[in-house]
Amino acid sequence: MPNDTSGDAPVAGLYESLITHRLAERMKQLDTTGWHSIDAAVGQESAPHVLARHIGATVRRVFQGLSPAEQVIAANHILESLKTIEGAKEWVDLVAEGPRQLLAVAEQEAPGVYAIRPATPLSETALITNSPEDPSLGFELRAELVSRDPVVGT
């Protein structure tokens, strides 16, 4: 229901949706039809996370319809607009062509041999269930052990 602007029947339940202009209108409609929507102010500590989550979800939806090159251009437009906010310039770093990600910095162990990288992205949580499409648990453990920080004094 949070992003639903149609006249469909509301779904009763718990929500944690940022109130946008569109959602505020939908809530007014609900209140006139016997439903009661409950809202509260977002706490100061939670506001950065709640707002960033909303912006991230919106950008993700828009980016899905763009080519990778167009996504980089759009991302840089967003970042450029953030640079206009006082104090934000030092945090804004434009995206290079690609997009590309740094995946590792590895020291050469032998000629042409570098430490292996876990198949599971570090930025994502994963539950390894040993299903055919999951990475091998053994491979992931070996890769994690190789990539660990050395313990001081060993």
Side-chain angles (χ1 to χ4, degrees), residues 22-36:
R22 190 176 296 158
L23 182 55
E25 278 302 310
R26 180 72 170 124
M27 290 167 61
K28 283 180 194 174
Q29 292 171 357
L30 290 175
D31 289 344
T32 63
T33 60
W35 288 85
H36 180 68

Side-chain angles (χ1 to χ4, degrees), residues 1-6 17-18 20 22-23 54 61:
M1 184 202 77
N3 293 320
D4 179 18
T5 56
S6 69
S17 300
L18 182 66
T20 61
R22 190 176 296 158
L23 182 55
H54 172 71
R61 279 188 224 104

